[in-house]
Amino acid sequence: MCMKQLFTFIAVLFSLASNAQKEKTAMYIQQYSELAIQEMIRTGVPAAITLAQGLLESQSGESDLVKKSNNHFGIKCKPEWTGAKTYHDDDQRGECFRVYPNADASYIDHSNFLRTRSHYDFLFKLNPTDYEAWAYGLKKAGYATASNYPNKLIKLIQENQLDQYNVRAMNLMNSVTQQNKPIHTMETNGITAQPVEQNTMNNTILPINENNIEEKEAIENDKPSNTNTVNPSKKLLYPEGIFMINQCKVIYANEGVSLLAIANQYDITLSKLLEYNELYHTEILNQDQLIYLEKKQKKGITDFHIVKEGESLYYIAQVEGIRLENLLQFNNYTKTAIPLVGHKLYLKPTNPIQSTTNKK
């Protein structure tokens, strides 16, 4: 084999390995994203951080520790652990790690682990959309010894657009808060997921206040600037600037803003902006709302959306990042239909004949 053929062969092998890893990563996110969202609602641990840590610590679900113990986060036994144990080489040889009956128990214990230890308390005073602050904060609190641990988490979040799961969790969190619905207690073979106090949960989605400036500044010294913040005056809590919903770029714009101004700011023609957001007769926004900067997807991240009070079909299409025409198609609705509160709206085709690709 000549040198050129050898290089070509190596390049092909590298490409195949890279594609296989991307597929494993995508499958892991798909499998555990809803669980991460549930844990963010329950405890305030950002879903993006949970997924990034899970991906990193478990090698996208392929590590020996996961396969023999369902331990997705590399949590060691600690003196208080009374459950099953396994031994694995890490910082030292033969260290003790926790064993879980399933992945759910591992995710629940990870959230409990962060929520119940005092040296992680400052993390829950941070903005939950500020994943960079959380990443550097975990390193500061001693979760991992590797100096590049924060950068690894941040890279995973950005490459896989994991911050969209924070947004989804915050939408659901607002819905639960507004309707005063309890969050159910979960239990998985001894690993209990108790609901967080309502006022504690609310604190996790508020901006930094005078009582936690010191902790915030300490982390700011270690992390890059220009991270997203939350505007507490908005009815729904979204990051400032561009963020992702259903793998699409979107902003949260205020009432009274000119759509032409938004189009100019983001270098998009007004006609395209109107098309992306299905706003064909609007020049000035008459309410705060999501504005997409690219065409929405043909189907949602999850299978369905439960209709809440005051939600229109258009509103649901925007919140879920799905084209209105597809939402109508999946549910056999017309544009003038008013969805019933509590009704299950499908975000994906339920009939094989309706099936469409998820391309933009």
Side-chain angles (χ1 to χ4, degrees):
M1 183 181 291
C2 69
M3 190 64 68
K4 184 177 180 180
Q5 289 175 319
L6 178 61
F7 284 143
T8 301
F9 179 70
I10 292 173
V12 169
L13 288 180
F14 181 80
S15 177
L16 289 173
S18 177
N19 289 337
Q21 182 57 46
K22 287 180 181 178
E23 186 175 341
K24 289 176 183 176
T25 297
M27 289 177 64
Y28 187 94
I29 295 168
Q30 182 178 11
Q31 185 171 0
Y32 297 114
S33 58
E34 286 301 315
L35 186 53
I37 287 170
Q38 290 172 21
E39 286 303 288
M40 180 172 177
I41 294 171
R42 182 179 71 88
T43 67
V45 180
I49 286 292
T50 297
L51 286 169
Q53 285 192 284
L55 284 167
L56 181 60
E57 300 287 350
S58 75
Q59 298 169 27
S60 298
E62 296 293 313
S63 72
D64 291 339
L65 189 61
V66 164
K67 290 178 178 179
K68 68 181 183 181
S69 65
N70 288 310
N71 191 329
H72 284 248
F73 300 93
I75 297 181
K76 297 176 183 178
C77 292
K78 304 295 181 183
E80 72 275 10
W81 180 250
T82 58
K85 303 173 182 178
T86 188
Y87 296 88
H88 181 78
D89 292 345
D90 191 52
D91 296 327
Q92 300 177 16
R93 289 177 60 86
E95 291 191 87
C96 181
F97 286 84
R98 301 182 180 190
V99 173
Y100 303 101
N102 49 47
D104 286 26
S106 179
Y107 269 70
I108 291 169
D109 192 45
H110 168 260
S111 300
N112 291 346
F113 187 88
L114 296 178
R115 189 79 224 199
T116 58
R117 281 165 170 73
S118 59
H119 56 286
Y120 293 117
D121 281 351
F122 70 95
L123 290 172
F124 296 92
K125 299 173 184 177
L126 297 173
N127 188 316
T129 66
D130 193 344
Y131 57 81
E132 292 190 3
W134 266 82
Y136 281 91
L138 284 167
K139 175 65 175 67
K140 178 182 175 67
Y143 190 95
T145 57
S147 60
N148 61 346
Y149 188 77
N151 292 330
K152 287 182 177 180
L153 294 182
I154 292 167
K155 183 179 180 182
L156 282 168
I157 291 170
Q158 293 176 345
E159 286 183 346
N160 298 286
Q161 301 174 356
L162 300 183
D163 53 334
Q164 66 181 299
Y165 300 106
N166 286 346
V167 173
R168 183 167 179 80
M170 290 165 72
N171 280 339
L172 293 171
M173 204 181 299
N174 274 287
S175 174
V176 170
T177 302
Q178 289 168 8
Q179 297 181 35
N180 293 318
K181 290 185 177 180
I183 300 176
H184 298 293
T185 299
M186 298 176 286
E187 186 169 347
T188 308
N189 288 24
I191 307 297
T192 303
Q194 293 287 351
V196 178
E197 293 285 341
Q198 190 72 29
N199 57 355
T200 304
M201 183 175 69
N202 285 346
N203 285 342
T204 68
I205 59 175
L206 290 176
I208 305 303
N209 59 39
E210 295 178 356
N211 296 326
N212 53 56
I213 290 176
E214 184 177 344
E215 290 91 342
K216 175 69 174 177
E217 289 179 344
I219 294 176
E220 288 291 347
N221 292 332
D222 296 326
K223 63 179 278 294
S225 58
N226 299 324
T227 52
N228 291 334
T229 58
V230 168
N231 183 341
S233 66
K234 294 177 180 176
K235 295 176 183 178
L236 289 177
L237 299 171
Y238 289 109
E240 297 285 352
I242 298 175
F243 55 98
M244 307 294 292
I245 293 180
N246 198 11
Q247 301 180 10
C248 296
K249 294 178 182 178
V250 62
I251 63 169
Y252 194 72
N254 294 324
E255 177 184 354
V257 170
S258 162
L259 287 169
L260 178 59
I262 295 175
N264 290 337
Q265 180 180 354
Y266 293 100
D267 196 24
I268 303 171
T269 64
L270 178 59
S271 60
K272 283 293 184 184
L273 190 68
L274 295 173
E275 176 189 344
Y276 296 158
N277 294 276
E278 296 154 311
L279 294 170
Y280 301 108
H281 306 289
T282 304
E283 295 182 2
I284 304 295
L285 291 180
N286 58 12
Q287 62 181 2
D288 296 351
Q289 75 165 78
L290 294 163
I291 295 293
Y292 285 85
L293 306 179
E294 56 186 334
K295 188 173 289 187
K296 292 181 289 183
Q297 302 284 6
K298 291 184 177 180
K299 58 184 180 182
I301 298 176
T302 55
D303 292 334
F304 58 85
H305 174 103
I306 302 298
V307 180
K308 294 175 279 296
E309 186 175 353
E311 291 187 336
S312 65
L313 290 170
Y314 176 78
Y315 174 86
I316 293 168
Q318 291 294 96
V319 167
E320 297 289 352
I322 179 176
R323 301 176 200 178
L324 180 58
E325 61 180 338
N326 291 98
L327 182 65
L328 298 176
Q329 178 188 1
F330 298 154
N331 296 277
N332 296 317
Y333 275 4
T334 64
K335 285 186 178 181
T336 57
I338 300 175
L340 297 176
V341 175
H343 184 69
K344 181 187 291 185
L345 276 187
Y346 292 101
L347 305 177
K348 294 180 180 179
T350 55
N351 186 326
I353 298 176
Q354 293 178 316
S355 195
T356 57
T357 59
N358 196 26
K359 295 179 181 177
K360 295 178 184 176

